[in-house]
Amino acid sequence: MRAIHRGFVIVSSLILISCFAVQTEGKKKGEALNHLYHSTLKTISGVDTSHFRTPEHFDESKLHPQGGLKERDRIVKLPGQPEVGFSQYGGYVTVDKSAGRAMYYYFAEAQQSKESLPLLLWLNGGPGCSSLAYGAMQELGPFRVHSDGKTLYKNRFSWNYAANVLFLESPAGVGFSYSNTTSDYKTNGDRRTAEDNYVFLKNWLERFPEYKGREFYVAGESYAGHYVPQLAHTILYHNKKANKTIINLKGILIGNAVINDETDTIGMYDYARTHALISEESLHNIKTQCNFSSNATVQPVECAVALNETYRDIFYVNIYNIYAPLCTHPSTTSLPKKGSLTSFDPCSDYYGIAYLNRPDVQEAMNANVTKLTHDWQPCSDLIVNWLDSPETIIPLLQECMANGLRVWIFSGDIDGRVPVTSTEYSLKAMKLPVKTKWHPWYIGGEVGGFTEVYKGDITFATVRGAGHQVPSYQPLRALSLIKHFLNGSQLPDTKRYIYS
C-alpha cells in the first residue's frame, strides 16, 4: 500500500506482487522494476506517462576526444579469471562534463571473428539495475562468479560467441556509473536515460572507431523493454536528421519486457492463476475491483484487499522463476562450489556483490576511479525518483518496424513477473497480421520454445523452462536465440536442426 487519498487506497499491484522477492532474495532487479511503475501510482505521483520524445537538438558539446582512451581501458585479466582468447575492456565515458556524469561499461570482444561479427549492446532494466550485475555476470557474459566471490568460471554459452558484446551500467547512479551532481539521482527518467545512452554510444564509437559502421543491435530485458526501443528511436531520429547513417542500427531484441502497462498487469495476474499461484476467487476479485487502464487514478480499498491476498499467497515463491528454489544462504562460501551453467544458483547475486566490491577487481576493471561513497550494488539505492515512464512503448516498436529494423521479443515461460501472457496480450494489442503461425522451435533435439512471426519483421519467441533472466536459466537456448536473431534467420522448426 503506497498512500491513502480521499478514502481510496493508491496501490501499485506490481510493487505488492514483487515485495516477496525483496524479502527472500535480497535486492533483485524486480524491486526496482516496481519503482513508480504501475500507472495508477504514476498518475498520482506526477510521473509523466506520455509518449516518449527525443530532444530535437543534440548537444555536440557532450562529444569529447577519445584518442588513447581505448588502451587505457584494456582489462589485462580479471582476478580469478580463467585464461581466454578474447580482449576485454572496461572504463568510463563522460556523458555530461558540466554535471560530472559518467557511465561505466564492460566490453567483451567476440571469441572469434571480432572483425566481422556485429556489435551488440545489452541493457538491463530496473529502473536502476546493473547490466554488469545481471547481463555480464549472471546471464550472457563470458564469465560467472563462483560461490567464493573470488573466482570466475567460463560461460561456454556466452553471447560473445555470436557478437562483440557491450554492457552498460545505466543510468548514472547504477553500479559504477555516477554523477558529481547528486541531484541527478533524483531527476532520472526514460528520456534522460535514452539521451545519455545515445551520448555514451557516440563517444564510445569514437573510442573504438573500428566499430563505426559495424552492424549494431540493441538488446535487453525487463524495464529495458523501455530503454531498448527508446534508444532505437533516438538513433533513428538523429540518423534521419543528419541524412546519413551515424549509427548502423539493424535491429532490437527485448526479453520478458515491460511493453504496455495495462496488458502487462492483466497478463501477470492471469499467468498467476493459470499456473496455480492464486485462486480463481482472487483473480475474480482483482478483475472486478481493480482498474488497470491508463485512465485510472485511484483504486478502491477492495482492490487493495484483493492484491494483498495475492501477495500473501505467493510470498514464498520466486516470481522471477516460479519453479526455482530460493536463496537460503545469502552469503559466499569459503571454498567455491562447482559452478554450473545448467542449474542456476539462486544466490548468485551475493557472489557478484562480493566479487565486484573487491578493490583488486575494481582496479582491474578500471572501475570506481572516483572512490564512490557507496558500495557497488546490483540494483541502485540512489535511484529514488523517476520522472517519466510512458504507459506504452508500442508506438516505438511500430516505428522500428516501419523503419525496417529487425524486432524480436522473447519470453522465458516460467517468469511470473513479466510473463509470457503479458507479452502476448501486448502483441495482440498491436493487431499484427500473422506471417508464420505458432509452432515449436528446436535446439539440442528438444523443443527450445515456441514462436510466431508477424508481418513487419517482428518475431515472438518463448524460451521453454526459462525465468525472467532467460540466459541464466536456459543458456544454450538463449545462445541459439541470439544467433538466429543476429543472422536474421527463423528459429529451427524441425528436429533435424538439433545443434543450430
Side-chain angles (χ1 to χ4, degrees):
M1 185 168 66
R2 296 290 295 181
I4 297 177
H5 181 71
R6 296 183 183 177
F8 291 88
V9 180
I10 312 303
V11 176
S12 171
S13 62
L14 297 180
I15 289 176
L16 287 175
I17 202 168
S18 297
C19 281
F20 79 95
V22 180
Q23 300 290 333
T24 60
E25 287 282 288
K27 195 169 181 63
K28 300 261 303 186
K29 65 169 65 176
E31 178 184 355
L33 176 60
N34 298 293
H35 183 60
L36 297 179
Y37 170 61
H38 190 264
S39 60
T40 57
L41 181 61
K42 288 194 289 190
T43 303
I44 297 301
S45 66
V47 175
D48 182 358
T49 62
S50 61
H51 288 321
F52 178 82
R53 301 185 304 276
T54 293
E56 291 186 10
H57 303 289
F58 178 73
D59 187 354
E60 296 289 340
S61 69
K62 292 183 176 180
L63 301 180
H64 308 292
Q66 303 292 319
L69 298 183
K70 173 185 172 181
E71 281 308 306
R72 185 198 66 179
D73 290 354
R74 183 181 293 275
I75 297 172
V76 178
K77 188 176 183 181
L78 295 171
Q81 172 204 304
E83 294 295 330
V84 295
F86 59 89
S87 296
Q88 306 172 75
Y89 299 85
Y92 286 94
V93 172
T94 298
V95 296
D96 191 321
K97 194 171 185 178
S98 62
R101 200 159 67 241
M103 315 286 276
Y104 182 82
Y105 78 90
Y106 168 68
F107 179 48
E109 288 193 317
Q111 301 266 359
Q112 295 177 331
S113 305
K114 69 176 183 180
E115 295 83 4
S116 58
L117 287 177
L119 175 65
L120 174 74
L121 173 66
W122 176 267
L123 299 170
N124 277 91
C129 292
S130 164
S131 301
L132 186 59
Y134 293 101
M137 292 298 185
Q138 295 186 37
E139 299 185 70
L140 55 123
F143 308 110
R144 300 272 180 93
V145 184
H146 271 127
S147 63
D148 61 357
K150 298 176 181 178
T151 55
L152 306 174
Y153 61 101
K154 290 182 182 179
N155 176 10
R156 66 181 184 276
F157 304 114
S158 172
W159 286 14
N160 75 330
Y161 282 100
N164 300 280
V165 186
L166 177 60
F167 301 91
L168 175 63
E169 294 196 299
S170 173
V174 173
F176 293 123
S177 295
Y178 68 90
S179 177
N180 292 329
T181 305
T182 55
S183 60
D184 279 351
Y185 301 143
K186 298 179 181 179
T187 54
N188 275 310
D190 282 20
R191 291 190 192 108
R192 194 171 75 191
T193 299
E195 183 179 2
D196 280 358
N197 289 349
Y198 182 74
V199 173
F200 162 83
L201 195 55
K202 287 263 290 179
N203 279 301
W204 189 91
L205 287 169
E206 291 298 323
R207 190 174 301 188
F208 291 78
E210 63 270 33
Y211 290 98
K212 281 186 175 182
R214 189 79 59 94
E215 286 194 357
F216 177 63
Y217 298 87
V218 190
E221 70 189 12
S222 199
Y223 197 78
H226 280 216
Y227 294 162
V228 171
Q230 288 164 352
L231 179 56
H233 166 84
T234 304
I235 292 170
L236 290 171
Y237 176 86
H238 289 296
N239 282 354
K240 286 182 179 179
K241 189 173 182 181
N243 198 28
K244 64 179 181 179
T245 301
I246 300 172
I247 296 174
N248 189 21
L249 179 65
K250 293 296 185 180
I252 64 171
L253 174 76
I254 52 176
N256 292 88
V258 175
I259 294 175
N260 187 63
D261 284 3
E262 182 175 0
T263 48
D264 286 349
T265 307
I266 294 169
M268 180 174 63
Y269 291 114
D270 282 347
Y271 183 91
R273 172 58 200 142
T274 57
H275 288 75
L277 298 179
I278 64 174
S279 69
E280 184 66 37
E281 180 184 8
S282 290
L283 181 62
H284 172 78
N285 290 340
I286 290 169
K287 288 195 169 183
T288 56
Q289 300 299 334
C290 302
N291 180 3
F292 300 125
S293 65
S294 59
N295 59 8
T297 56
V298 294
Q299 303 288 1
V301 68
E302 291 82 3
C303 174
V305 171
L307 294 175
N308 276 314
E309 183 177 297
T310 299
Y311 160 64
R312 181 199 65 209
D313 288 343
I314 64 172
F315 188 90
Y316 292 109
V317 175
N318 179 354
I319 205 67
Y320 302 97
N321 181 337
I322 63 172
Y323 301 125
L326 303 178
C327 176
T328 55
H329 296 90
S331 62
T332 57
T333 61
S334 57
L335 296 175
K337 295 185 289 185
K338 184 177 180 181
S340 174
L341 295 173
T342 57
S343 180
F344 183 69
D345 190 328
C347 297
S348 293
D349 259 14
Y350 300 99
Y351 312 153
I353 290 170
Y355 185 79
L356 289 167
N357 276 297
R358 289 176 51 190
D360 60 336
V361 171
Q362 293 178 2
E363 182 179 2
M365 298 188 77
N366 308 307
N368 198 14
V369 294
T370 59
K371 303 305 176 188
L372 300 170
T373 58
H374 55 274
D375 287 345
W376 179 93
Q377 287 287 338
C379 292
S380 175
D381 289 322
L382 300 178
I383 308 297
V384 296
N385 196 25
W386 202 255
L387 297 184
D388 62 287
S389 177
E391 65 188 12
T392 182
I393 57 91
I394 286 176
L396 300 186
L397 295 178
Q398 292 169 330
E399 179 192 29
C400 288
M401 295 161 58
N403 281 273
L405 298 186
R406 191 176 309 147
V407 178
W408 280 37
I409 302 172
F410 66 95
S411 183
D413 64 6
I414 52 177
D415 171 31
R417 183 56 190 82
V418 190
V420 61
T421 44
S422 294
T423 304
E424 287 179 320
Y425 292 173
S426 296
L427 284 167
K428 187 176 181 180
M430 294 177 70
K431 299 179 180 179
L432 299 167
V434 174
K435 178 180 178 182
T436 305
K437 290 184 178 180
W438 182 274
H439 64 273
W441 63 273
Y442 296 89
I443 178 68
E446 296 183 350
V447 173
F450 296 83
T451 184
E452 189 164 69
V453 182
Y454 304 95
K455 292 180 180 178
D457 200 16
I458 182 168
T459 295
F460 172 58
T462 71
V463 181
R464 192 164 67 95
H468 191 73
Q469 300 114 293
V470 168
S472 296
Y473 299 104
Q474 293 292 338
L476 174 61
R477 292 171 185 174
L479 180 58
S480 178
L481 184 86
I482 189 63
K483 284 181 175 180
H484 284 86
F485 165 72
L486 294 173
N487 291 335
S489 57
Q490 288 193 10
L491 290 161
D493 58 1
T494 62
K495 286 185 69 174
R496 70 173 179 269
Y497 299 110
I498 60 174
Y499 298 113
S500 58

